Amino acid sequence: MTTDTRVDPPHRGGERETLRGYLDYHRDTLAMKCAGLSDDELRQQSMAPSALSLLGLVRHMAEVERAWFRRVFEDSAAPMVWAPPGVVDFQLAYDASASSRAEAFSAWEDEVENSRRIEQAAESLDLTGHQPRWGEDVSLRMVMVHVLLEYGRHNGHADLLREGVDGAVGA
């Protein structure tokens, strides 16, 4: 893997700075796990019957960012990136068989930037938005924690996937 350029989260920050720091750290971890690999390597699947790949994880996390920031705080009807209109199915993003680094990372980076913009514009973590899938209001705090947990879980998958591609481990 490439050099680790991630910025450590604050060790003595406030709640918001700590959540933001850990979320960005995990976003950077996913990007780092994919660094230096070809499109074919990024599409390499783990093991049958799973279709999971590093590129599939990037696509999935684009959907997660979109569903939890854009759809909750801006536009509850915003379509998912890889699902048909009106369908919210995170599993569809895992099929990266026809995807490329450029396509997946462009969508993911756009959603991350939008998520950051929403979080930075919010006056507090108490900001509420409506989660259309649940039919209830949720706080920005809850959304940030939820998305952080999604990254933590999927970065564990990314560790194993990267090791399977080229043997690289760590970080």
Side-chain angles (χ1 to χ4, degrees):
M1 276 185 294
T2 60
T3 305
D4 186 352
T5 60
R6 297 172 298 171
V7 175
D8 285 335
H11 294 175
R12 296 175 49 96
E15 179 184 23
R16 190 167 191 165
E17 294 76 25
T18 300
L19 286 172
R20 182 186 294 152
Y22 272 97
L23 194 49
D24 281 340
Y25 184 84
H26 275 281
R27 288 167 172 152
D28 291 345
T29 298
L30 180 58
M32 186 179 73
K33 289 294 177 180
C34 297
L37 297 177
S38 68
D39 283 2
D40 285 339
E41 289 170 320
L42 288 169
R43 284 190 294 266
Q44 187 173 317
Q45 296 176 350
S46 60
M47 67 186 90
S50 176
L52 194 60
S53 67
L54 286 165
L55 207 54
L57 285 177
V58 171
R59 288 167 46 108
H60 175 74
M61 291 311 299
E63 296 286 38
V64 168
E65 296 268 2
R66 185 178 194 88
W68 283 100
F69 284 95
R70 185 183 303 270
R71 288 176 51 92
V72 168
F73 297 106
E74 287 186 333
D75 179 5
S76 64
M80 300 301 283
V81 182
W82 288 284
V87 175
V88 178
D89 184 347
F90 294 92
Q91 300 303 311
L92 296 174
Y94 285 134
D95 180 7
S97 57
S99 186
S100 67
R101 172 189 293 276
E103 178 246 7
F105 272 83
S106 176
W108 178 61
E109 289 165 355
D110 287 349
E111 291 304 324
V112 166
E113 285 310 308
N114 190 63
S115 299
R116 285 181 176 135
R117 182 187 55 73
I118 290 168
E119 182 271 322
Q120 290 169 1
E123 288 187 28
S124 83
L125 295 174
D126 294 325
L127 173 73
T128 59
H130 189 75
Q131 175 42 273
R133 289 176 39 234
W134 293 357
E136 66 181 71
D137 291 346
V138 296
S139 71
L140 177 58
R141 177 183 296 101
M142 180 268 159
V143 167
M144 290 181 76
V145 169
H146 180 84
V147 174
L148 178 58
L149 292 172
E150 284 276 335
Y151 274 103
R153 184 177 87 182
H154 292 307
N155 280 339
H157 298 137
D159 285 339
L160 296 172
L161 288 163
R162 180 64 190 248
E163 185 176 5
V165 170
D166 66 359
V169 296

